[in-house]
Amino acid sequence: MTEKSSKEKQKRLRIKRKRGACQPVAASGIKRRNKSQPVTFSENELREELLREAKALRMPAGAAEVIASKVAEQVSKWAAKRPAVTVDDIYRRIAVEAEKYSADLAYVYQNRGKII
């Protein structure tokens, strides 16, 4: 291979690499969640999140609203007694409370953050 053709080939390869074939996660637009940042707990936001998950599980709307309000209320009472809780603690508590009403909803929160 001649020197001129090898330089052209290297130039083409550099151009292909610059197009984003193998970019790091942060550069690709996906942001990593920093687990150490504090998160404020809101009963209303939790209720809305539970309703979204119940809708994804195709639960009836009326039952989903009742379950979401009861679970959010119980988790809120539980969190109020503690000075600091992590997001994972809240998810575990949601799973415990949701198990009383819906095994599918509890399964979603037990495996939150894991690849299923």
Side-chain angles (χ1 to χ4, degrees):
M1 188 178 284
T2 65
E3 188 177 322
K4 185 177 181 182
S5 64
S6 67
K7 285 183 181 180
E8 289 175 8
K9 186 175 181 180
Q10 288 175 356
K11 186 178 179 182
R12 281 187 307 218
L13 289 174
R14 271 190 243 127
I15 290 171
K16 286 183 182 178
R17 283 190 215 124
K18 288 182 182 179
R19 290 187 185 153
C22 295
Q23 293 294 321
V25 174
S28 66
I30 300 171
K31 295 182 181 180
R32 293 184 182 179
R33 181 179 70 153
N34 188 358
K35 292 185 178 181
S36 63
Q37 290 183 352
V39 178
T40 57
F41 178 79
S42 171
E43 186 176 342
N44 291 331
E45 289 178 12
L46 176 59
R47 185 177 294 118
E48 290 173 8
E49 182 180 336
L50 286 164
L51 284 172
R52 279 193 305 269
E53 294 296 335
K55 185 178 179 181
L57 293 171
R58 297 184 180 171
M59 294 176 82
E65 290 176 14
V66 171
I67 291 170
S69 62
K70 287 183 179 182
V71 170
E73 181 182 339
Q74 292 298 319
V75 172
S76 177
K77 286 179 184 177
W78 175 82
K81 295 177 185 176
R82 282 148 182 79
V85 293
T86 65
V87 175
D88 292 334
D89 291 337
I90 291 174
Y91 287 154
R92 279 191 290 274
R93 190 62 189 186
I94 292 170
V96 168
E97 294 296 330
E99 185 71 37
K100 298 173 186 175
Y101 308 105
S102 171
D104 293 334
L105 190 59
Y107 179 80
V108 168
Y109 279 95
Q110 285 171 349
N111 295 302
R112 178 73 84 184
K114 299 176 187 173
I115 298 174
I116 299 175

